[in-house]
Amino acid sequence: MKDPLSNLPKNVGIADFEYRLRSLDQPDSVLHFGGRFVSKKLFLWMKDSPPAFYAEIGKSSNHFDPYRLITDHFFCEDASFCENVLFDGDTKYLANWKKPLKRSLNDQEKYFEKLGSLVPERWGVFLGNSTVIRDASAVFFPKNAIVIGNRGVSGIDGNVATTLGASIGFDRPFVGILGDLRFLHDSNSSALFQNMKHPVFLIVMNNQGGKIFERLPISEKKDLLHKYFVANHSFSFAGIASSFQLPYFSISHLEDFTKTMKKIHTISQWYNF
């Protein structure tokens, strides 16, 4: 299984694992490379029947284990561990994970699936929190691009500033993909676009509110959900873009999205870094 922030290529690992959990048995052993997973469902699934052996591999001292699953820690480089350990797993169990999965993509996933082939190589991508990073996890695989996100402090704050800061820190062009409430909350950071060395593009997924709450237990409280959590709105972002003298494109169909992203490709052809 691979996390959307692992930066592993499309043909390595299983990205759509969340949709397979209900039909598969929990593992007896787990090897965990890298940091925390975005998926909460994965850990809740394993919590129901904790693995007898759960090893965390890596040289980081930051341990994220809220469900007390980790039994062992190997303080070493990932490659060193793999070179010195003989894997003799259950091939039948692995085959069950790899079976073709038929499911319908939601609208946001369709955009991410298309976007994976449209992000210019060597650019960076910042995935905002909430439904953005979750819907990207199984279908978004840009080629030779750095993909990052804010985890740990996974709130609404500073997603625009983070995208711009990442462009500076990684010294490359960036595409930031944010939800509408996250953009509104940090829209004043749009003033920083004027000082950027590299091109930075923001894609705002405007679904009129914080739709992540429709996937959480609070969704059962119909009288509270939309007024206090989803915070439905009918705002357009054209005025904000105009205020900061930024180009703005309104997209309502996947075909429009493809045409607009190809304009970014045009920029990448003459822009060298």
Side-chain angles (χ1 to χ4, degrees), residues 184-197:
L184 287 169
H185 193 272
D186 194 30
S187 58
N188 60 320
S189 290
S190 299
L192 301 174
F193 274 93
Q194 306 300 330
N195 303 318
M196 297 304 295
K197 173 184 175 182

Side-chain angles (χ1 to χ4, degrees), residues 12-230:
V12 175
I14 299 168
D16 58 357
F17 59 84
E18 276 200 355
Y19 301 96
R20 302 172 180 269
L21 297 180
R22 292 182 181 179
S23 61
L24 293 168
D25 296 328
Q26 287 91 341
D28 298 318
S29 303
V30 173
L31 299 178
H32 185 151
F33 295 89
R36 60 174 290 192
F37 266 74
V38 169
S39 175
K40 186 176 181 180
K41 292 180 181 179
L42 173 64
F43 290 105
L44 291 175
W45 176 70
M46 286 192 288
K47 180 186 175 184
D48 292 339
S49 181
F53 177 75
Y54 190 122
E56 184 182 52
I57 298 100
K59 301 193 75 172
S60 173
S61 58
N62 298 322
H63 305 294
F64 181 79
D65 188 24
Y67 303 110
R68 301 294 187 266
L69 295 173
I70 296 175
T71 61
D72 296 84
H73 182 86
F74 293 88
F75 191 77
C76 62
E77 298 290 348
D78 297 351
S80 175
F81 180 87
C82 294
E83 290 170 356
N84 290 278
V85 173
L86 177 64
F87 293 100
D88 185 20
D90 184 345
T91 56
K92 184 178 179 180
Y93 185 66
L94 178 61
N96 288 334
W97 279 97
K98 289 185 173 182
K99 286 181 179 178
L101 184 65
K102 294 182 179 180
R103 70 181 185 89
S104 298
L105 301 181
N106 65 41
D107 289 341
Q108 194 160 273
E109 286 178 314
K110 292 176 183 177
Y111 279 91
F112 274 115
E113 185 178 47
K114 176 60 68 173
L115 182 60
S117 63
L118 295 174
V119 173
E121 291 191 36
R122 299 173 56 220
W123 283 41
V125 178
F126 172 77
L127 295 177
N129 302 319
S130 193
T131 60
V132 167
I133 195 167
R134 288 167 174 80
D135 285 344
S137 62
V139 295
F140 180 61
F141 304 105
K143 185 178 180 181
N144 295 333
I146 294 174
V147 180
I148 66 169
N150 281 342
R151 309 312 300 161
V153 181
S154 305
I156 199 172
D157 305 79
N159 278 203
V160 177
T162 300
T163 303
L164 297 167
S167 176
I168 296 171
F170 285 100
D171 195 23
R172 67 184 61 210
F174 248 79
V175 177
I177 310 170
L178 319 176
D180 47 324
L181 295 186
R182 273 142 190 79
F183 176 72
L184 287 169
H185 193 272
D186 194 30
S187 58
N188 60 320
S189 290
S190 299
L192 301 174
F193 274 93
Q194 306 300 330
N195 303 318
M196 297 304 295
K197 173 184 175 182
H198 300 294
V200 178
F201 297 86
L202 288 184
I203 298 173
V204 180
M205 300 289 193
N206 185 6
N207 52 13
Q208 289 83 46
K211 295 304 174 70
I212 185 67
F213 294 105
E214 294 180 352
R215 307 182 187 185
L216 301 177
I218 191 63
S219 63
E220 298 176 4
K221 305 289 185 180
K222 302 300 183 183
D223 55 330
L224 302 175
L225 176 64
H226 289 280
K227 184 176 181 180
Y228 296 106
F229 291 89
V230 175

